[in-house]
Amino acid sequence: SFTFVAMENMLDHVQDPGAVLAEARRVLAPAGQLYVAVDTFSMLGEARFKLFSRQRFRDATFVRAHPHRFSSDDVLRIVTQAGFRVTHSETPSAFGSAVGRHFRTRLVAE
C-alpha cells in the first residue's frame, strides 16, 4: 500500500478514469492521500471543441489522445464517486468555468 498517489495530467488520457481512481483507492493506505491535476475546460471551450476541433481534426493526436474532456465539476464528481473525500481543491471561478479557455484543476483527497 501507498501513503500518496499522484495523478498529474492523466485522467483525461485513459479509457476508464473510474477504474484508475478505484485502483488508487485500493492501493492507498488508511489516511493516504490522492493528488489529482487535470486540464479542465469551460462550457464555451467544450462547445468549441465539439463543434469545431473534434470534427475538423478528428485524426490529430490532441483529439485522439484525449478520450475524455472534463469540467472541474466532472473531476470533483468522479473523484468522490470513487470513494474519496476532497480536502483541498483549486478550480476556476464561475466566470472561468463558463467562458475561460482551460484550467488545470488540482485537488487533494483522502
Side-chain angles (χ1 to χ4, degrees):
S1 63
F2 299 90
T3 57
F4 185 75
V5 171
M7 298 181 184
E8 176 76 34
N9 190 29
M10 57 84 63
L11 278 181
D12 55 334
H13 294 272
V14 299
Q15 290 298 320
D16 190 346
V20 171
L21 289 164
E23 181 64 9
R25 185 93 196 118
R26 187 187 73 77
V27 301
L28 267 175
Q33 292 190 316
L34 170 72
Y35 169 78
V36 173
V38 62
D39 289 336
T40 55
F41 297 86
S42 68
M43 290 183 289
L44 183 61
E46 184 60 17
R48 184 183 64 152
F49 178 78
K50 286 180 178 176
L51 295 172
F52 178 72
S53 298
R54 188 173 8 190
Q55 301 303 320
R56 184 157 187 214
F57 302 110
R58 77 172 38 96
D59 293 326
T61 300
F62 83 93
V63 172
R64 291 182 304 122
H66 295 89
H68 301 282
R69 289 177 55 96
F70 298 114
S71 69
S72 290
D73 288 343
D74 293 335
V75 176
L76 292 167
R77 180 182 45 76
I78 64 171
V79 168
T80 56
Q81 284 178 341
F84 291 97
R85 182 177 64 85
V86 175
T87 58
H88 175 79
S89 65
E90 294 176 10
T91 59
S93 66
F95 181 77
S97 291
V99 299
R101 286 196 70 162
H102 73 277
F103 188 84
R104 177 69 55 100
T105 294
R106 295 177 174 89
L107 58 88
V108 176
E110 51 187 36

